[in-house]
Amino acid sequence: METAANMSAGAATVKPLAAACYDNNLVNSQGMFLGDQPLRFSLPLLLVQVSLILTLSAAAHHVLRRLGQCRFVTHMLVGIFLGPSVLGRNPQLRGALFSERGTYILESVSLVALILFLFSMAVKTDLTLLRRPTARALAVGLAGCLVPLAVTLPVFHALSPSLPADLRGSSLLTELAVRLSLSSFPVVADALSELDLLNSELGRVALTASLITDVTSWFLRACFAAAFLITEAKSPVFTAKVLASFATFVLFVAFVARPAGRYIAQKRTPAGDLLSEGSFVVVVIAALLSALVTDVIGFKFMIGPMMLGLALPGGMPIGATMTERLDSFFIALFLPVYMALAGYRTDLAELGLAGGEHEEKFCALELFVALCVAGKMVGCVAAGLFFAMPFREATVLALMLNIRGIVEVAAINNWGDTMKATAEHYSTLTLSMVVITAVVTPLIKLLYDPSGRFARAKRRTLEGAPPNAEIRVLPCLFLEDHAAPLLDLLEASGSSHDAPMSLIVLHLTELIGHAASVLKPHKKSRSGSGGNPTPSDRIVNAFRYFEQQATPGAVTVSPYVAASPYSSMHHDVCLLAHSRKANLILLPFHKSSDGARSTANNAIRAVNRSVLQYAPCSVAILVDHGLAAGSACATASNSTLQRVAMYFLGGADDREALAYVARMVEGGGVAVTVVRLKLRNWVGMGGRDEVRDEEALQAFWLRYSSRDGGERVAYVEQTVEDGEGTASVVRAMSDKFDLVVVGRRGGGEGDDLEGSALTSGLSEWSECPELGVLGDMLASAEFASKVSILVVQQQQHAGTAVDP
């Protein structure tokens, strides 16, 4: 028999330190058919516990996410369900599934997951956010930290004589006030990622504010831990050992681990690749050893991984490798166990709701929790209002910074380990963290729609712009291959000193290896200056060359880069279009072909559909069927786009497409044919859109029919019976052109009745509704003519849904 002191995280919070006796040979079972009881053995019991927690968590989250709850709340509620408050009330069930011995092993494994989670989040933390933080983020972070302390600590000293004895003589309330006045960057980043708000305007402010306070708190925490150890010192030699040990660790991280990490990332790993297996193992071992070292020298085990992670370079390849190999398996498997165990140790019977002394302790703790939360809300809202934020947005920002999670639970577990928190305190505080987050996250989803500002923005369309006015185009590129066809299109679009074009080039990449999203002007990378340019460098170089080849003053290029999750990437596109007052967003189609096979990227498709729905300006999707083969910077005389057709059915989108074609005519480099499709025997309803359609066509013809002797502009009317006739005309004519421009005609109010009748029956087999009926037909594999297509949508009403 072997005796093990139950010193795992949080065990002391449930009951006084106790001995757990078990047979150290009971690891692998021989099976129940040979008379063994599998749950008495460590391995079968561990597998059952992990499987049960993960299964219940997945099932609960499937329900709770519809109510706006994050995974932290789900895992904690699952733990409470398994604990003594619900299922654990059955002694037989509790003894079989969560005995002292089984919980001891489970906690040890989950603590390893916590260490690696903190290390991974630290690696992915972008400290460049602290170099030049905005005044608003700095003020919100400091006010949200200082105001709750200024409110809570005086109240604590004023009420100290009347508090229960275990609170009056402990530092628990002071540490609680400090912890709740801070916002944990890993917790806020993880929650905003679940809410798809990482790259929203308020999300970026919240992340910067939380990072400012979090990094400061980690530094102060290390100093306070050193001061505590020094005050406990019995001799100057002990003090010297403490300071020397910590200083040695800091110097090792700064002058050995950091250069080694840079060497592995830049010298040992090819550009664009993940870490090799050997390098990955070295990094993980270093993270575990850093926790061991700081724990051995008397500091908290969490300080080591955080310091080491912050010292290593994030992004590719170390941060990306952590996400790909560590987060997606080990952390995803065992971190929920850590949170579920915290919930498991929460006993609702300890809350003191029945009255007496327990109720007094419960009310005292909840009072200080409420003061901290309210103080943080007031401080953040006041700072936001000072910087002219709307009250609603300031409130949402304060809610974001009040999100609680695993870092707060780890702090509560630590208070239990050090006997600062009793079982009553532990249950009250953990339940408070769950309630705070359970209330805050749905409120954020209810109050904040990052796309709402685009709905209120002034609309900017090509139709409403004067013919020779500067147009601002936002080309979006996901891959380097998207540059050539977009440049060919822009070259054919025409620009001059009198009718300039401003290009706001945006290179979009998936957020990998970083916790915070990025949207910033492009700066040439250091590796690019050394002969190894990044994809962003090569894309920007192509557009810069296009700018140089154009007439002076005709084209200006402003490059940007963005890194964000695909699920919220459209926020970056719409935000940049709104801030730079773009007239048109150019998007590449999600399918590409090399002539032999076609590939599709559904993530790009989802971004395109979201941009169509929320964009504050017109949007065009380019389907490339051969533009990339030409020169990206060809002159007007040898452009790959010589013949352009525009099918006009009627409606706002078609008028916007006609306005874009007019810009191409102004450039004088292409021949344009406008094909007006009309329904036989159609008697017009005299509606506003019909009148505007006719006015737009007449104005186009009057302005350009005599241009260059009438050789470059043609106008054709085709009369058809129905949608099948429309398809026949399109099939017969399209192979004569290099590019076909059509309106998307998404079924909104801008689509007239005649145009709808012209496409009746064609949408039944639509594969890509984001291209509209004609665009989808032209882009389909069955269509004989492989002509490139530009599908244009005029944004009129925000939030117009894109059909699935």
Side-chain angles (χ1 to χ4, degrees):
M1 302 293 288
E2 180 182 48
T3 302
N6 193 354
M7 292 295 292
S8 57
T13 64
V14 178
K15 57 186 179 181
L17 196 65
C21 300
Y22 53 88
D23 188 344
N24 59 359
N25 294 317
L26 295 180
V27 178
N28 295 314
S29 168
Q30 297 296 320
M32 62 181 181
F33 296 109
L34 294 180
D36 279 349
Q37 297 180 15
L39 293 184
R40 293 185 61 242
F41 294 80
S42 300
L43 181 61
L45 181 58
L46 178 65
L47 297 177
V48 169
Q49 290 172 331
V50 173
S51 301
L52 180 62
I53 290 173
L54 294 180
T55 301
L56 290 178
S57 296
H61 191 63
H62 181 73
V63 176
L64 293 178
R65 68 178 180 180
R66 304 177 190 277
L67 302 177
Q69 300 301 332
C70 61
R71 292 188 179 275
F72 165 74
V73 174
T74 299
H75 299 322
M76 293 293 290
L77 291 179
V78 166
I80 293 174
F81 176 75
L82 294 174
S85 303
V86 187
L87 286 186
R89 295 177 67 89
N90 186 323
Q92 290 78 19
L93 183 63
R94 184 175 183 180
L97 292 178
F98 292 97
S99 62
E100 294 288 347
R101 174 170 171 266
T103 306
Y104 176 81
I105 298 173
L106 198 61
E107 285 175 344
S108 301
V109 176
S110 65
L111 278 174
V112 176
L114 175 63
I115 291 170
L116 294 179
F117 168 77
L118 294 174
F119 171 72
S120 178
M121 288 299 297
V123 169
K124 292 182 285 187
T125 298
D126 188 3
L127 291 180
T128 58
L129 294 174
L130 300 178
R131 291 179 182 175
R132 292 182 180 177
T134 62
R136 179 172 58 175
L138 185 61
V140 169
L142 293 179
C145 178
L146 297 177
V147 171
L149 286 177
V151 171
T152 308
L153 295 182
V155 172
F156 168 68
H157 289 294
L159 298 180
S160 182
S162 60
L163 291 176
D166 55 355
L167 292 176
R168 184 171 60 250
S170 169
S171 63
L172 176 62
L173 289 180
T174 302
E175 294 189 29
L176 175 65
V178 173
R179 180 63 261 170
L180 294 187
S181 67
L182 301 171
S183 298
S184 171
F185 178 81
V187 170
V188 174
D190 190 57
L192 293 182
S193 178
E194 283 196 54
L195 294 170
D196 283 337
L197 295 176
L198 267 182
N199 57 340
S200 64
E201 183 182 12
L202 295 187
R204 287 191 169 96
V205 176
L207 286 176
T208 304
S210 64
L211 184 59
I212 291 171
T213 59
D214 213 16
V215 171
T216 303
S217 71
W218 280 105
F219 174 76
L220 294 177
R221 195 172 304 169
C223 294
F224 289 153
F228 173 78
L229 290 174
I230 292 173
T231 56
E232 296 294 317
K234 299 179 180 178
S235 65
V237 176
F238 181 86
T239 302
K241 289 181 179 179
V242 170
L243 295 177
S245 299
F246 187 69
T248 301
F249 177 74
V250 172
L251 292 174
F252 176 83
V253 169
F255 296 104
V256 178
R258 182 177 176 83
R262 289 186 176 275
Y263 173 77
I264 291 174
Q266 298 174 4
K267 303 295 184 181
R268 299 276 298 177
T269 307
D273 289 354
L274 298 178
L275 293 179
S276 65
E277 183 176 350
S279 299
F280 171 68
V281 171
V282 168
V283 171
V284 172
I285 292 176
L288 297 176
L289 289 178
S290 66
L292 173 64
V293 169
T294 51
D295 196 56
V296 167
I297 64 177
F299 293 79
K300 301 303 177 185
F301 68 89
M302 296 185 291
I303 293 179
M306 290 293 293
M307 291 182 62
L308 179 63
L310 291 174
L312 297 180
M316 290 291 291
I318 298 180
T321 306
M322 295 298 106
T323 301
E324 190 75 18
R325 298 179 182 172
L326 200 62
D327 295 3
S328 59
F329 175 67
F330 187 82
I331 293 178
L333 194 64
F334 289 104
L335 197 64
V337 173
Y338 180 84
M339 290 182 280
L341 284 176
Y344 172 82
R345 291 188 291 267
T346 302
D347 189 355
L348 300 182
E350 299 281 358
L351 298 183
L353 300 180
E357 182 183 357
H358 296 291
E359 183 179 11
E360 184 180 356
K361 296 178 182 179
F362 173 79
C363 292
L365 276 176
E366 288 302 317
L367 170 64
F368 284 95
V369 170
L371 283 175
C372 289
V373 173
K376 195 169 187 65
M377 289 290 298
V378 170
C380 294
V381 170
L385 294 177
F386 178 80
F387 284 91
M389 290 181 65
F391 178 77
R392 183 168 183 162
E393 292 189 1
T395 302
V396 172
L397 182 58
L399 291 173
M400 289 178 175
L401 293 173
N402 261 310
I403 296 175
R404 304 300 167 186
I406 190 170
V407 173
E408 285 73 24
V409 169
I412 297 172
N413 281 338
N414 176 60
W415 296 335
D417 288 341
T418 55
M419 301 297 182
K420 295 175 183 176
T422 64
E424 300 169 59
H425 302 153
Y426 182 90
S427 298
T428 301
L429 292 177
T430 52
L431 188 62
S432 298
M433 301 305 106
V434 174
V435 171
I436 291 171
T437 306
V439 172
V440 164
T441 48
L443 282 178
I444 292 174
K445 295 189 70 173
L446 178 66
L447 296 176
Y448 184 51
D449 177 11
S451 303
R453 63 179 301 183
F454 309 133
R456 299 184 296 272
K458 178 182 177 181
R459 295 293 156 186
R460 293 180 176 84
T461 63
L462 296 175
E463 182 187 8
N468 291 327
E470 179 191 42
I471 63 168
R472 300 184 178 185
V473 182
L474 175 58
C476 299
L477 303 92
F478 298 88
L479 306 170
E480 292 181 65
D481 293 340
H482 294 156
L486 285 175
L487 282 167
D488 281 334
L489 174 65
L490 292 169
E491 194 278 332
S493 300
S495 59
S496 64
H497 184 273
D498 296 326
M501 179 187 299
S502 176
L503 298 180
I504 307 133
V505 182
L506 178 61
H507 181 208
L508 296 159
T509 57
E510 185 182 9
L511 182 67
I512 300 177
H514 284 292
S517 62
V518 175
L519 175 60
K520 62 182 180 180
H522 172 268
K523 292 183 179 180
K524 191 172 183 180
S525 63
R526 295 178 181 177
S527 59
S529 60
N532 187 24
T534 65
S536 295
D537 293 334
R538 289 190 285 269
I539 289 173
V540 172
N541 289 340
F543 277 87
R544 290 294 188 194
Y545 182 71
F546 174 71
E547 179 184 23
Q548 295 168 6
Q549 293 297 106
T551 304
V555 177
T556 57
V557 174
S558 302
Y560 288 81
V561 292
S564 56
Y566 277 119
S567 59
S568 59
M569 194 173 283
H570 64 281
H571 292 323
D572 289 330
V573 179
C574 296
L575 180 63
L576 188 59
H578 177 262
S579 62
R580 294 300 305 267
K581 300 179 181 179
N583 302 94
L584 179 69
I585 297 172
L586 274 180
L587 299 170
F589 191 46
H590 71 279
K591 291 183 179 180
S592 60
S593 175
D594 58 2
R597 61 177 182 174
S598 177
T599 58
N601 189 321
N602 289 325
I604 294 178
R605 183 185 188 186
V607 175
N608 289 350
R609 289 158 64 91
S610 297
V611 172
L612 285 169
Q613 183 174 354
Y614 296 111
C617 61
S618 297
V619 182
I621 297 179
L622 176 64
V623 183
D624 172 39
H625 281 159
L627 296 186
S631 169
C633 299
T635 62
S637 61
N638 63 3
S639 171
T640 57
L641 287 177
Q642 296 289 336
R643 301 162 299 169
V644 177
M646 190 265 154
Y647 294 116
F648 192 97
L649 281 69
D653 292 348
D654 282 28
R655 292 195 300 272
E656 191 73 4
L658 184 66
Y660 189 84
V661 168
R663 292 287 305 198
M664 302 179 82
V665 177
E666 289 284 349
V670 297
V672 173
T673 300
V674 177
V675 182
R676 172 71 159 108
L677 294 169
K678 304 184 72 173
L679 200 62
R680 191 183 303 278
N681 300 325
W682 170 259
V683 179
M685 305 294 292
R688 179 184 177 187
D689 270 300
E690 290 185 17
V691 174
R692 294 182 65 182
D693 291 344
E694 295 302 324
E695 291 177 349
L697 287 170
Q698 290 178 11
F700 177 84
W701 181 246
L702 288 174
R703 182 176 179 86
Y704 301 112
S705 59
S706 60
R707 183 69 60 92
D708 295 331
E711 296 180 357
R712 289 194 172 273
V713 178
Y715 176 79
V716 179
E717 286 192 357
Q718 293 284 346
T719 304
V720 299
E721 299 284 349
D722 51 19
E724 185 177 347
T726 300
S728 299
V729 171
V730 171
R731 287 192 179 95
M733 298 187 66
S734 297
D735 59 356
K736 302 181 178 120
F737 303 100
D738 303 315
L739 174 70
V740 170
V741 183
V742 296
R744 178 173 173 264
R745 301 181 51 78
E749 296 180 12
D751 296 338
D752 59 9
L753 295 176
E754 182 185 14
S756 299
L758 286 168
T759 57
S760 61
L762 297 181
S763 61
E764 296 178 3
W765 297 278
S766 178
E767 295 180 5
C768 302
E770 64 268 28
L771 297 181
V773 176
L774 289 186
D776 179 73
M777 181 179 69
L778 289 165
S780 64
E782 292 78 13
F783 194 71
S785 300
K786 288 302 180 182
V787 60
S788 296
I789 309 123
L790 184 69
V791 181
V792 182
Q793 171 185 280
Q794 183 184 80
Q795 195 71 13
Q796 289 186 324
H797 304 285
T800 301
V802 179
D803 297 332

